[in-house]
Amino acid sequence: MSTSHIELLTNASNFSVNHLTVNTICSDIDVQGILEAHAARGAMYDSNERYPAPLCHPGTRQVILGRITIWYHGRQRPGMKKSIMWVHAPAGYGKSATAQTVAEDLEKRFQELGFNPLGATFFFWRNSPERSNPTRFVITLAYQLGMSIPELSPHIEDAVKRHRTVFSKTMEVQLEKLIVEPFRSLDNLEEMPNRLVIIDGLDECINSDGERRGERQYAEGQERVQVRVLDLIHRLQSHNFPLSFLILSRPEPWIKQHVETKPWKDITETEDLYLLEDHVKDVETFVRAELERIASTMNGDLGEGEEQWPGESRVRRLLRQSDGHMLYASVVIKHIEDPFGNPKRLLEDILDRDYSSLAPNVVNPQSFSTLHKLYMQILRACPERVRPGMVEVLQEMLNVESRGLLFRMTPAKALESLDRLSHRESGAAMRTLRRLHALLHVNDTPSDSFFVHRSIVEFLTTPELALEFTLKQESSRKKMIFNGLDYISSVTPGVPVDQDLLAMGLEFGLGSWTKSDESMTEIENQTRLEKLLSIDLAFCIVGTLSSSGSPVSAGEIRHQKPTMIQSILRTYKEFKRPGDWHGLTELAVQGRRHIESSISESCVQLLSQGATTSGLGWFVGSYMDIVDWKDSRIVDALATMRSKHRASFDAIKRSLTTWADLSEDSWKVYNLLED
């Protein structure tokens, strides 16, 4: 503390201070940047990660949209007790489209109302490292509430400055410090307009043992973690802040049971979207509009006496097959719009298909049999000669998606990298999937999944449904592990590097290490360890964290975390007890030392490059327990940066408070920077 800040003690003597509490508040940190870094930005309704987000087709789902509107605006009036609405329906009935439509409609009313009625959104998604678990849930809500409620923002910023380790605390503590206490600091809360918080896909919050990609700080099963999120929402609404909560999910038994308990029933409006809407009418509105649009793009080559395509009879037949299922109708429309096919013939194939060859009595509780039949028809439309290759590529795509690689690269880029990693000719994967564009996202537009709907993955991984097209993800995993190791062991300085391919190679080559992997023989484990020792890991790390030789940004590194940093950290942890590798103990020890020396070398190179950057601070924070901080090269590099690139040096210090949460281990790095 400088003397300018202790003027109250000037000339004081013979006094004592009892129970002194000192709160250190740093005024020069970028609080918004810290919040943004810890938030799940892809979970927000307008994120690029979700583009293009599903929307209700004009004229559809009018009942539920109307009820949500009446309920929300009714909350603006005193005495309206039900601050929560739960909308539930089976998969494929438009819950996310409803949530997105509500969010966009509210955002458009900003100017009209004079305030932003949309407080915050969180769209859970099981295939996302950040959106499939609740770790960032509270922080993401706080970040958005600070933007949508300007008077709340300074109090949230003050909370972050006061509680620097809040990002490593439990969600309950985060809720209290980042949202509840800032709201309590406001005056005239009763005069503040009500804001809507939208939580979609609660059933997609899984955080299970199988979820390896995210930052798993909790070990609960999906039932417990979903109920925990519900309890957080209930706790927040109990303070009677001017907030309403719209929750959308499947009617999972544990969610339904919890919402029907006494504490919830009095404050919750429940809507069954499946029963509420006239799905047959909505599908008809959609189908007629879309077929008319497609017809308008076709050449008018009508034969004599032929009616205008598609004709009423075909429309009626398609509506009967759709049976009120919007997802079925949307997949059909996408299928017949195949740029390589004839819409007339493709629609006729759909309408005339005989489904008698499909496995009988395979119907799930939501009666998806019609949709499954459509998936099978699209798959069987592919030539038999390409089917084995198609299944192989689809299995690789499941592995890519499960490891979060689509958050670094587009689907098209991922397929290009898969071709190279699997030693196929360029474009082979894309050609193999040509007939499946109705089921897949394979273009160069960012997407969090290859598959247009989760039901497609469920179908393809269920042998009783997919039959000869059943995907066995495990069968391709071992091959991709060794392909990844082969590629990264070939990467050397002076050779041009494709960063996306390098990231994919690192994730598969290093992200699958486990001594208990029963699919690996001892010879295969020995081969893996020997290949690891031949890899120039330092070059791979620096190459992955650089963009064409340019310094790396915090945002770039953050999105590469699941594919590179975490891969190496997971591998390193597997070597911390080399005795567990039985007959391969010495190789495991060498592997651990190789990773330690490679990370220290990477740190030296990044510091020497002058990589600016919160990004470098994040790298240091992630690897601080592995880096040899007594290495004279690191000390010299820090000293050089402090003298020649003071701004970059200070940026590293600031970023450590963002990425490292200033744990005890973090302080040793921070103090080193201060020396």
Side-chain angles (χ1 to χ4, degrees), residues 4 12 56 82 128 174 343 450 492 525 534 556 562 590 597 610 619 668:
S4 62
C56 296
K82 295 194 173 182
S128 164
Q174 292 175 351
F450 282 114
T492 55
N525 273 325
S534 70
E556 285 177 314
Q590 292 179 42
S597 62
F619 168 83
K668 68 184 179 184

Side-chain angles (χ1 to χ4, degrees), residues 63 235 286 440 445:
V63 178
R235 180 181 297 193
F286 170 76
L440 305 174
T445 302

Side-chain angles (χ1 to χ4, degrees), residues 57-161:
H57 188 82
T60 65
R61 301 191 180 95
Q62 295 298 291
V63 178
I64 188 61
L65 292 174
R67 291 201 180 183
I68 292 172
T69 299
I70 292 172
W71 162 77
Y72 166 68
H73 289 294
R75 284 280 298 155
Q76 304 287 358
R77 300 193 299 272
M80 297 295 289
K81 295 182 179 179
K82 295 194 173 182
S83 58
I84 299 174
M85 175 179 280
W86 178 44
V87 177
H88 63 84
Y93 278 89
K95 298 182 297 295
S96 293
T98 298
Q100 184 71 23
T101 301
V102 171
E104 292 194 12
D105 287 349
L106 285 179
E107 190 73 30
K108 292 173 184 176
R109 301 197 62 194
F110 193 137
Q111 297 298 327
E112 171 193 345
L113 296 175
F115 68 95
N116 189 352
L118 185 62
T121 59
F122 199 104
F123 285 75
F124 284 105
W125 174 242
R126 71 178 53 237
N127 287 331
S128 164
E130 295 181 344
R131 295 161 54 198
S132 61
N133 70 79
T135 309
R136 300 171 183 263
F137 175 66
V138 173
I139 300 169
T140 305
L141 296 189
Y143 173 63
Q144 294 175 88
L145 288 170
M147 293 190 294
S148 60
I149 307 175
E151 53 266 50
L152 187 66
S153 181
H155 298 286
I156 294 176
E157 292 189 10
D158 184 60
V160 173
K161 293 175 182 178

Side-chain angles (χ1 to χ4, degrees), residues 602-654:
S602 302
C603 191
V604 171
Q605 291 187 33
L606 288 169
L607 287 169
S608 300
Q609 288 178 5
T612 56
T613 135
S614 49
L616 178 57
W618 190 92
F619 168 83
V620 170
S622 296
Y623 284 143
M624 67 174 56
D625 291 332
I626 304 177
V627 171
D628 179 8
W629 297 106
K630 297 179 182 178
D631 189 325
S632 60
R633 297 175 303 162
I634 292 179
V635 176
D636 291 343
L638 283 169
T640 300
M641 179 175 280
R642 181 169 56 184
S643 63
K644 295 185 177 180
H645 306 285
R646 185 70 197 198
S648 298
F649 182 83
D650 291 340
I652 294 175
K653 290 199 298 183
R654 287 195 300 271

Side-chain angles (χ1 to χ4, degrees), residues 568-588:
I568 296 175
L569 287 176
R570 284 198 298 265
T571 305
Y572 180 73
K573 289 175 183 177
E574 292 295 332
F575 294 147
K576 293 193 77 171
R577 295 193 303 273
D580 292 345
W581 288 84
H582 306 297
L584 302 174
T585 299
E586 182 57 34
L587 277 175

